[in-house]
Amino acid sequence: MGPAGCPHVNAFKVDNNWKQNLRLICQCFVWSGSVETRKRKAKSCICHMCGAHLSRLHSCLHCVFFGCFNKKHIHDHAKSKRHNLAIDLLYGGIYCFVCQDYVYDKDMEQIAKEEQRKSWKMQGAGAGEKYASWEPTKKELELLRHNPKRRRITSNCTIGLRGLINLGNTCFMNCIVQALTHTPLLRDFFLSDRHKCVMQSDSCLVCEMSQLFQEFYSGHRSPHIPFRLLHLVWTHARHLAGYEQQDAHEFLIAALDVLHRHCKDDNGKWENGKANNPNHCNCIIDQIFTGGLQSDVTCQVCHGVSTTIDPFWDISLDLPGSSTPFWPLSPGGDGSALNGETHTAGSTTLTDCLRRFTRPEHLGSSAKIKCSGCHSYQESTKQLTMKKLPIVACFHLKRFEHSAKLRRKITTYVSFPLELDMTPFMASSKESRMNGQYQQTSDLNNDNKYSLFAVVNHQGTLESGHYTTFIRQHKDQWFKCDDAIITKASIKDVLDSEGYLLFYHKQFLEYE
């Protein structure tokens, strides 16, 4: 798309009534501020071809037609009528069927924002102010233009890339810091100065992380010395204190826990009120990293199901070669093809590990549970699925095995994709699962798609090893972070690496 924007939008705007028509659609079917318009939207917004309410409904901008995006009904309408533009009835985005992408137009965006603010005001006092996005004023834009330190972000820009000095077996900390500082939403939070501290700043880990982000994105190229971060970690997570080599996964969980405890909202209250995540916390850590894991225990006698949902920050996956039996794989049987993974003889994929994690498990006679239906102890099966996906999904490949008889590292190669679809592992997909196999569907849910942005690797043995990180700087630019040394890496380097912690970011985010 050129600097002038989408040519099909420009052609659409030739009609003198386009503003009035777009404003009417936004009022009645997108933002719907009043009770009446919300009722009208609920009754009217169905696909005119299949009658579905969901499946990402879009409205044609040229005529009165609603159609499913997932089932391609709106595409069929656009092709037959040559109506090139449609609006997403959930988010208000404008889609061009010729460009095959969502497009931006300043005038259309302005109308959408005006109607959105009106809707918020009608729904409740102050709602419009709470969620209004910040835009620079003319005076602020002028100050930015004349700032001599203003930096232009280009495709080969290195801002955000900075090495970290190893302070004595602290590579486990450095690799996690690199992953966190390149987590997009976490970066946006800290660089926009959103943290309001009510603790003593010299003891607050969130304040230190905020300073760390400032250091990383200051443009300085010399390696940073994270001595204050190390001191705070030792203070708040005493089991990690000392100069012995620690586990990067253990450090990640400890760091998220301390950051979670130190986060407070803008009003100075602990952010543990009810929210749209399973942990009932609305701090930035839980907003980004917390998902909901559903556990279904099914009685083998009456087939009654007991369901619990627990929050998680990461998913730990068993590997072939461990003492835990790894179920027989059927190459290419389901999600592997969905995620672009290919099986070679004896190889294992991330999808294989997720299939094993979400398969039904017979608990056996030694682990009977009291069934609420039978009112007695019965054998049962247990199955884990994803009830709610986090924005950032972290997968921990369990390479370190500790038991009474054995301490060793598992070096099994696990291939992982650049893009991952978690739809087959959702609780909502459980009904389509038959005999441990997942049914392929053409109606893929984009809300469950992820992109890889960081990989933590461990080289060496259990007793003597070293951690490094691959991080994605731009869409296709990868770098290897080895303490103070940052080097360019290829996608092949990333995908061929052993993998210990895999960080994936959602491709589509829902504004709440």
Side-chain angles (χ1 to χ4, degrees), residues 156-187:
N156 59 352
C157 179
T158 59
I159 291 178
L161 293 174
R162 194 168 184 185
L164 291 165
I165 297 294
N166 192 317
L167 301 175
N169 284 331
T170 58
C171 58
F172 70 93
M173 178 182 74
N174 291 348
C175 70
I176 297 301
V177 168
Q178 292 288 359
L180 292 179
T181 51
H182 288 89
T183 301
L185 282 187
L186 203 60
R187 174 196 63 205

Side-chain angles (χ1 to χ4, degrees), residues 311-322:
F312 68 88
W313 279 333
D314 71 314
I315 296 292
S316 294
L317 301 171
D318 290 316
L319 302 180
S322 68

Side-chain angles (χ1 to χ4, degrees), residues 297 299 302 304-307 369-378:
V297 178
C299 174
C302 70
V305 180
S306 172
T307 299
I369 61 162
K370 189 170 185 178
C371 175
S372 57
C374 300
H375 303 290
S376 60
Y377 287 90
Q378 304 290 353

